[in-house]
Amino acid sequence: MAKSENKTKPEPVDPAAMIASVEHPQRRADAEVLLPLFTRITGWPAQMWGPAIVGFGRYHYKYDSGREGDFMVTGFSPRKSYTSVYILPGYRDLSEPLSRLGKVKHGKSCLNINKLADIDMDVLEEMVRDGVAYMKANYTTAAR
């Protein structure tokens, strides 16, 4: 199978400017908290991935099918209805920290948070740190 790149790619947009443009006041305020939090946790600068995802780091993946590409290691996106936090990789059992996190909905690699006040920020930091450590141990990662 031919190499197939991820459709979501790094964009030359300032993440702080994107956050400042978020219309929903709660999503904007939460993103203003998450930006320095993720920067501190990861040690990597923020970079936009597509028009709405603030990502940190980069890793290269290659599936058995031959599909490969680059994607962010972790990040977040202030959506209209909630803020998504991306904890990669998904598909691991995160039931224990999820039980302590607070009020969230989640998919395989993302947490959907209505507002940061609904969750335990220490547990969120623990989960992001764990995800970044896993990615560094299992993939080639870089700041950009």
Side-chain angles (χ1 to χ4, degrees), residues 52-142:
I53 300 174
V54 180
F56 297 83
R58 177 189 298 227
Y59 77 101
H60 186 77
Y61 62 86
K62 184 171 183 178
Y63 298 131
D64 292 339
S65 66
R67 177 185 160 90
E68 64 182 295
D70 293 308
F71 201 58
M72 66 180 178
V73 172
T74 191
F76 65 90
S77 180
R79 308 272 183 202
K80 285 186 180 185
S81 300
Y82 49 81
T83 296
S84 289
V85 172
Y86 301 97
I87 305 211
L88 299 173
Y91 313 106
R92 295 188 310 141
D93 182 10
L94 298 174
S95 56
E96 193 281 322
L98 279 171
S99 72
R100 296 182 288 117
L101 183 60
K103 186 178 174 184
V104 297
K105 293 182 180 179
H106 60 89
K108 292 183 178 181
S109 63
C110 69
L111 305 170
N112 297 324
I113 303 165
N114 184 42
K115 59 185 178 293
L116 293 182
D118 290 342
I119 66 168
D120 183 323
M121 293 298 290
D122 291 334
V123 176
L124 177 64
E125 182 170 339
E126 173 188 327
M127 293 177 76
V128 173
R129 281 187 190 284
D130 176 70
V132 171
Y134 181 91
M135 296 302 289
K136 286 180 174 179
N138 291 283
Y139 295 89
T140 301
T141 61

